[in-house]
Amino acid sequence: MSEIVIPHDLIDALRGAKSVVVLTGAGVSAESGVPTFRDAQTGLWAKFDPQELATREAFERNPKMVWEWYAYRRELTARAEPNAGHYALAELEGRASNFTLVTQNIDGLHQRAGSRNMLELHGNIHRNKCFQEDVRISRWIDSGEEPPRCPRCNSYLRPDVVWFGEMLPPVELDEAFRAAVECDVFLSIGTSGVVEPAASLPFIALQKGAIVIEVNPDATPLSNAATFRLAGPSGLVMPKLVEAVRHK
Ligand code: OAD
């Protein structure tokens, strides 16, 4: 891996920013041992077709299998630890006057690293909700049945995550678009930038004249348009970037 150099004008832009927005994807959790969606095709998804598990239809067809798969991933993410990239983002939040973290990740690692002002566009695997009423449920009687039953209406519980084909939470999505329009620096970190509507956020920031920084070892549809591209793993790049902001 060639030495990662953080350009001075990137640091100046970050230090002078009135409003910073960060969009993260599965790549930020890769160094915590949580497979990304693209490499997960060879990992835990190798055995399953994503459509078999992460859709309403799959849950209606086989609720027990979908619940068990998410329980497995919940356990995997609970065992994972935030990495240096997560902690660097939490520190950057503390240094910025106005900071919004928009994540596509459902693993809860940003919160465990100390990030506070967050928008979870795709939900959170550690929360559950009623399949029928769509309300969050945090306590229920454990009868041993899987999935468990909603204590209010007795229908199944499901993970509070966005499945393929489902709408994103409207409040979080609206706030994410507003933040992208108003920010002066936008960082896109660890996302392949192929899933809408999240993939549009950095381009909206660009159109509004923001400085856009991409952190990803691989090229994405954003790479050529970004103001700066730091081609490396977030666990290495982000601590360097925050170090430079701290000591410029
Ligand atoms: P992907 O798996 O599509 O992309 C992960 C990105 O992270 C890729 O561009 C990798 O090159 C990059 N990457 C890998 N290791 C990295 C590292 N150490 N540091 C930085 N980047 C690294 O994951 P997402 O872009 O998050 O949606 O996928 C977006 C959405 O697609 C997911 O939220 C999910 C999926 O469908 C839903 O489940 C609704």
Side-chain angles (χ1 to χ4, degrees):
M1 170 87 48
S2 56
E3 173 67 16
I4 301 276
V5 176
I6 315 282
H8 287 295
D9 39 355
L10 183 161
I11 299 305
D12 291 342
L14 260 179
R15 287 176 67 82
K18 294 183 197 57
S19 171
V20 175
V21 172
V22 177
L23 171 68
T24 62
V28 168
S29 296
E31 289 154 275
S32 296
V34 179
T36 71
F37 288 86
R38 298 313 170 250
D39 60 35
Q41 300 305 324
T42 54
L44 53 96
W45 281 20
K47 300 183 287 295
F48 301 107
D49 164 9
Q51 300 305 325
E52 282 304 303
L53 294 165
T55 64
R56 289 185 72 86
E57 297 70 29
F59 187 80
E60 284 167 330
R61 211 172 30 247
N62 192 335
K64 185 172 183 333
M65 180 169 149
V66 174
W67 178 266
E68 285 174 350
W69 185 64
Y70 275 92
Y72 160 72
R73 287 177 68 202
R74 194 175 295 129
E75 169 55 28
L76 185 142
T77 52
R79 278 202 311 271
E81 290 297 328
N83 64 63
H86 292 107
Y87 287 113
L89 283 168
E91 180 179 339
L92 191 61
E93 176 172 1
R95 293 177 170 278
S97 42
N98 187 328
F99 183 96
T100 304
L101 174 60
V102 181
T103 190
Q104 301 170 91
N105 299 341
I106 59 174
D107 55 34
L109 291 176
H110 282 304
Q111 291 93 328
R112 286 172 53 195
S115 289
R116 289 289 168 268
N117 192 21
M118 282 189 61
L119 298 168
E120 291 180 305
L121 292 187
H122 294 165
N124 186 312
I125 200 169
H126 298 290
R127 284 196 310 262
N128 294 295
K129 64 182 181 181
C130 173
F131 183 72
Q132 288 305 333
E133 303 167 293
D134 211 33
V135 292
R136 285 181 189 169
I137 303 287
S138 52
R139 301 168 62 83
W140 61 84
I141 295 161
D142 184 0
S143 64
E145 184 183 6
E146 290 195 333
R149 295 279 175 179
C150 170
R152 299 155 44 109
C153 72
N154 204 42
S155 79
Y156 283 133
L157 296 186
R158 57 161 282 185
D160 185 12
V161 299
V162 175
W163 279 336
F164 291 102
E166 287 189 318
M167 300 291 288
L168 271 62
V171 170
E172 285 81 352
L173 187 57
D174 184 52
E175 282 184 34
F177 275 103
R178 190 167 330 112
V181 165
E182 293 167 0
C183 73
D184 40 12
V185 174
F186 189 108
L187 292 103
S188 178
I189 310 173
T191 180
S192 56
V194 294
V195 172
E196 292 297 350
S200 298
L201 292 170
F203 290 95
I204 289 167
L206 265 177
Q207 279 161 5
K208 294 292 179 181
I211 285 175
V212 173
I213 302 159
E214 182 179 54
V215 178
N216 192 322
D218 302 330
T220 74
L222 175 65
S223 301
N224 291 334
T227 321
F228 296 100
R229 179 165 175 242
L230 302 176
S234 55
L236 184 73
V237 172
M238 289 313 295
K240 275 181 175 296
L241 193 150
V242 171
E243 170 81 10
V245 171
R246 221 186 278 142
H247 294 307
K248 171 116 176 85

